Amino acid sequence: MTCKEDSECQEYHYCNKRGLCEHKPFFPLSQTEIFTYIGIMIICGLANTGGFGSSVLVNPILYLVLKYRISYAALMCHVFVFGGSLGTFITHLKVKDRYGHPIICYEIASTILPLMIMGATIGVIVNRILPDILVLVGLTMLLMMVTCNLFDKLKKTLEKESRTIKVEKSEQAESEQASLVQNQNIEVQSQTNGMPTQLMSPSYGTDVDVNEEFTLPEDKSMFPLSKNALVILHVILLILLKLIQGSERFSSLIGIKFCGSVYWILMMNNILLALVIFEASFRLSINRYKRRIDSNLSLIHI
């Protein structure tokens, strides 16, 4: 939008030297922006707690409240998703399940991560090609689908919890009735045989762990390098490719023109790299699975 002075631009925008309305820098923050970003942090926290993607919720806030372009708001969502994912990872890094394994399954993470990076790369390409109105329509449809799925999941969860509570109450009543009958039988037998009731009672709380699992040493490591080597390599290669490729904000290390032919070739290489890393991670996971089958080890946390 062309302009001559700041008053001609919408809120949070100013008239730059080229006579175009441009969004203000991140700093300084206004009071509305401060409360908005605090609200975004709360939304991201709740979304990550429930395992729900926060980008679908954050994007409309950036577009409607803070007046960012829809394409730029979509790119900014990556920052919030990264921050939420990093916080969730740090929180669960030392959490273990009942078998002593880390609750994070690195085989699944190392297999899915390349696909997510490939999808993000395709999204960036589509975001630059399509006009804002088509991006807005697509995000609106996605938000409606996610909302419907969320309410459907909520309904099913409430129904499942209701059935579980009924079953638990029924089992508890049956258990109490069986325990009462058992105690009465024990008292009758003890009076008949003249033996103490304590000797007739069954013993509980043995020290034997019937769920003891035999696993590989790497399965109990909090951050096994053997399972995350490809992920680390993938991230390093992506950073190097980005430095070579350059962007609108910083120049390429080897002088590649932004949005030139070489720029888009390197962008497509990100997709090919993700496919190669995905195939390698998938093969390693299958090999670990076969090794556990051959060694009769636990398959609970492959």
Side-chain angles (χ1 to χ4, degrees):
M1 179 179 177
T2 58
C3 61
K4 293 183 179 180
E5 54 185 21
D6 295 345
S7 59
E8 298 179 2
C9 300
Q10 63 176 331
E11 190 179 6
Y12 302 116
H13 286 69
Y14 69 96
C15 189
N16 60 21
K17 296 180 180 179
R18 295 175 296 175
L20 298 174
C21 290
E22 184 177 349
H23 198 281
K24 64 177 284 295
F26 186 79
F27 293 107
L29 293 173
S30 65
Q31 186 176 4
T32 304
E33 289 178 304
I34 293 175
F35 285 112
T36 302
Y37 285 120
I38 292 176
I40 289 176
M41 287 192 295
I42 296 174
I43 291 174
C44 289
L46 294 174
N48 289 324
T49 301
F52 182 72
S54 58
S55 60
V56 181
L57 303 176
V58 173
N59 200 307
I61 297 176
L62 295 175
Y63 174 68
L64 297 174
V65 179
L66 299 182
K67 309 301 181 182
Y68 283 101
R69 285 183 55 193
I70 188 64
S71 56
Y72 191 77
L75 296 176
M76 286 186 64
C77 286
H78 292 298
V79 178
F80 297 100
V81 172
F82 173 75
S85 301
L86 181 62
T88 303
F89 171 72
I90 295 175
T91 302
H92 294 86
L93 182 61
K94 293 186 178 181
V95 179
K96 298 182 179 180
D97 59 16
R98 56 177 178 170
Y99 301 107
H101 302 138
I103 198 171
I104 301 175
C105 185
Y106 291 102
E107 276 88 357
I108 296 178
S110 61
T111 305
I112 293 178
L113 184 61
L115 299 178
M116 295 181 64
I117 293 177
M118 182 176 64
T121 304
I122 295 174
V124 171
I125 296 175
V126 172
N127 191 22
R128 290 189 177 277
I129 295 176
L130 295 180
D132 287 349
I133 184 62
L134 291 182
V135 177
L136 179 60
V137 171
L139 289 175
T140 303
M141 294 177 61
L142 179 61
L143 180 59
M144 293 173 61
M145 292 174 56
V146 170
T147 304
C148 292
N149 290 335
L150 180 62
F151 278 104
D152 183 60
K153 185 177 180 179
L154 176 62
K155 180 181 178 181
K156 291 181 179 179
T157 301
L158 292 176
E159 292 176 352
K160 183 179 178 180
E161 290 180 353
S162 178
R163 290 194 301 267
T164 302
I165 292 175
K166 292 180 180 179
V167 172
E168 289 179 351
K169 288 182 178 179
S170 177
E171 291 178 350
Q172 184 178 3
E174 292 177 359
S175 177
E176 292 177 354
Q177 183 67 23
S179 177
L180 180 60
V181 173
Q182 184 180 12
N183 290 334
Q184 291 175 352
N185 293 336
I186 291 175
E187 290 179 1
V188 172
Q189 291 178 7
S190 62
Q191 292 175 2
T192 303
N193 300 328
M195 297 179 64
T197 304
Q198 290 79 1
L199 296 179
M200 300 294 297
S201 301
S203 59
Y204 299 96
T206 58
D207 295 331
V208 179
D209 185 8
V210 295
N211 290 323
E212 183 177 2
E213 296 289 335
F214 298 93
T215 58
L216 297 174
E218 63 186 28
D219 292 333
K220 295 190 176 183
S221 175
M222 288 294 98
F223 190 78
L225 291 178
S226 60
K227 297 181 181 180
N228 294 288
L230 285 176
V231 174
I232 297 173
L233 177 63
H234 193 185
V235 173
I236 293 174
L237 291 177
L238 282 176
I239 295 174
L240 291 176
L241 281 174
K242 194 59 185 178
L243 292 175
I244 295 173
Q245 179 183 358
S247 69
E248 187 178 4
R249 298 291 180 179
F250 66 91
S251 302
S252 167
L253 294 179
I254 59 176
I256 295 177
K257 183 180 178 181
F258 176 68
C259 281
S261 58
V262 180
Y263 174 90
W264 291 111
I265 291 174
L266 290 177
M267 181 71 77
M268 297 303 297
N269 283 337
N270 292 337
I271 299 176
L272 296 177
L273 175 63
L275 289 174
V276 172
I277 297 295
F278 165 73
E279 183 181 3
S281 300
F282 185 77
R283 289 182 180 273
L284 287 176
S285 297
I286 293 298
N287 290 335
R288 291 192 185 97
Y289 178 85
K290 291 180 178 179
R291 186 169 56 171
R292 286 172 174 80
I293 290 291
D294 296 336
S295 304
N296 294 322
L297 297 178
S298 170
L299 298 178
I300 294 176
H301 208 276
I302 63 172

